[in-house]
Amino acid sequence: MRLGVLDVGSNTVHLLVVDAHPGARPLPAHSHKADLRLAQLLDDDGAIGPGGVDRLISIIQEALQAAEDKGVEELLPFATSAVRDAGNADDVLTRVREETGVELQVLSGDEEARLTFLAARRWFGWSAGKLLVIDIGGGSLEIAYGMDEEPDATVSLPLGAGRLTAARLPGDPPEPDDVRALRRHVRTEIARTVGDFSRLGAPDHVVATSKTFRQLARIAGAPGSAEGLYVQRELKRESLEAWVPRLAAMTTAERAELPGVSDGRAGQLVAGALVAEGAMDLFGVERLEVCPWALREGVILRRLDHMGQG
């Protein structure tokens, strides 16, 4: 069947269309995305303003048309931290439902971590052993660890690259004092969680997902997207540590000139790099591998599993 997953994230609204059936690898058929930056559209009370909701509804309507054009049989719509944490989340969900007919499932941070972990486990297989999976989104950071398809430990922290940029790095380039303050904040938040994972033992394989990690790996020398999905892409902490001060000294326009960095993500790359560096350092990770599959694929895989059981 042809499935569509509609991901209302903190940075983008992304429709991914796949051809899939239980027991088979989902094959991408179409991708439709639009920048929204919900994490940066919150007002002083933490609510998404009327203009932001109007824009969200318009983008969802466009995605629904694209899904219809591509013959999507079933749509799996979900929202993550930007909607989850909005002060007016219920009102936003009601307007979306009334004006588009879409019932957005709001994933908890734990669900995000678990579904992303499932996608990484399926991608790397059982031979990868104990997995530590790190995902940096626009609104939150998810970390998961385990041997099986369900992780043994998960955490979700409000350390998304878009959220932190909007709240703590106003300058372009950011002020050095702001960068240092954000670095302290990020490491304090992550450090509180490390003990919950370290008691489970060292991972056999450390995996990162998300656009932030893909871009950081690319500027550190990993192969570009033109090389295909199956080329191994790594990020070493040593390389990342060398790049963080360089990124912080650049303007958004200068970062956008780097290989693999999109105009839309260049502004939040410093915050993302600080989170990535903090996580790798505090968890004692020297190198990690970037996984092409993440939350959207996890949602699809979970749906296929349920179909197979039916």
Side-chain angles (χ1 to χ4, degrees), residues 212-298:
T212 293
F213 271 113
R214 288 199 298 274
Q215 291 184 340
L216 291 171
R218 181 73 182 95
I219 65 175
S225 57
E227 300 296 318
L229 272 183
Y230 300 102
V231 174
Q232 188 179 50
R233 293 173 173 87
E234 292 185 353
L235 177 62
K236 295 180 179 178
R237 175 151 55 104
E238 181 182 24
S239 299
L240 179 58
E241 288 173 344
W243 267 101
V244 167
R246 295 173 63 183
L247 291 171
M250 293 178 179
T251 64
T252 298
E254 288 169 337
R255 280 180 234 124
E257 297 295 319
L258 295 171
V261 178
S262 64
D263 290 344
R265 300 294 181 109
Q268 61 188 48
L269 193 57
V270 174
L274 288 169
V275 175
E277 181 192 36
M280 292 182 75
D281 188 6
L282 290 164
F283 279 90
V285 176
E286 295 300 327
R287 54 170 290 277
L288 52 75
E289 186 170 356
V290 179
C291 179
W293 280 6
L295 178 59
R296 284 183 288 275
E297 288 77 13

Side-chain angles (χ1 to χ4, degrees), residues 36 38 41 47-59 88 95:
L36 182 58
L38 278 177
L41 293 177
I48 301 171
V53 181
D54 289 344
R55 173 83 174 128
L56 170 61
I57 288 169
S58 174
I59 290 174
N88 59 338
R95 273 201 62 194

Side-chain angles (χ1 to χ4, degrees), residues 6-294:
L6 181 63
D7 174 3
V8 177
S10 298
N11 285 312
T12 60
V13 176
H14 189 164
L15 170 71
L16 176 65
V17 178
V18 299
D19 292 320
H21 64 268
R25 176 172 61 92
L27 296 174
H30 180 69
S31 176
H32 174 92
K33 68 176 71 174
D35 286 337
L36 182 58
R37 314 219 174 285
L38 278 177
Q40 298 175 32
L41 293 177
L42 302 180
D43 62 22
D44 293 340
D45 297 322
I48 301 171
V53 181
D54 289 344
R55 173 83 174 128
L56 170 61
I57 288 169
S58 174
I59 290 174
I60 289 176
Q61 289 169 336
E62 292 172 9
L64 289 174
Q65 184 61 56
E68 180 182 319
D69 292 345
K70 297 301 177 182
V72 168
E73 196 171 332
E74 181 179 351
L75 187 68
L76 308 172
F78 69 89
T80 55
S81 64
V83 173
R84 179 172 72 233
D85 299 337
N88 59 338
D90 289 343
D91 293 339
V92 172
L93 295 171
T94 298
R95 273 201 62 194
V96 168
R97 182 177 64 251
E98 290 176 347
E99 298 189 35
T100 70
V102 170
E103 188 86 45
L104 283 176
Q105 178 190 3
V106 180
L107 299 180
S108 68
D110 178 70
E111 288 172 319
E112 279 194 63
R114 289 179 178 278
L115 289 165
T116 303
F117 184 90
L118 172 64
R121 170 59 74 195
R122 294 280 176 92
W123 181 269
F124 289 106
W126 299 113
S127 63
K130 291 177 285 190
L131 284 181
L132 176 66
V133 180
I134 307 170
D135 178 79
I136 302 171
S140 60
L141 163 71
E142 276 74 42
I143 303 172
Y145 173 99
M147 268 291 292
D148 302 316
E149 292 201 335
E150 281 289 327
D152 298 313
T154 64
V155 69
S156 178
L157 299 171
L159 298 178
R163 180 197 298 266
L164 294 178
T165 301
R168 293 175 175 268
L169 295 180
D172 187 22
E175 293 293 331
D177 286 349
D178 290 339
V179 173
R180 282 192 292 271
L182 178 55
R183 184 180 187 275
R184 284 194 300 271
H185 171 70
V186 163
R187 285 168 180 258
T188 299
E189 292 293 308
I190 295 173
R192 291 175 180 152
T193 72
V194 172
D196 294 334
F197 293 85
S198 59
R199 64 182 174 79
L200 298 172
D204 298 309
H205 198 53
V206 182
V207 175
T209 67
S210 76
K211 190 70 171 287
T212 293
F213 271 113
R214 288 199 298 274
Q215 291 184 340
L216 291 171
R218 181 73 182 95
I219 65 175
S225 57
E227 300 296 318
L229 272 183
Y230 300 102
V231 174
Q232 188 179 50
R233 293 173 173 87
E234 292 185 353
L235 177 62
K236 295 180 179 178
R237 175 151 55 104
E238 181 182 24
S239 299
L240 179 58
E241 288 173 344
W243 267 101
V244 167
R246 295 173 63 183
L247 291 171
M250 293 178 179
T251 64
T252 298
E254 288 169 337
R255 280 180 234 124
E257 297 295 319
L258 295 171
V261 178
S262 64
D263 290 344
R265 300 294 181 109
Q268 61 188 48
L269 193 57
V270 174
L274 288 169
V275 175
E277 181 192 36
M280 292 182 75
D281 188 6
L282 290 164
F283 279 90
V285 176
E286 295 300 327
R287 54 170 290 277
L288 52 75
E289 186 170 356
V290 179
C291 179
W293 280 6

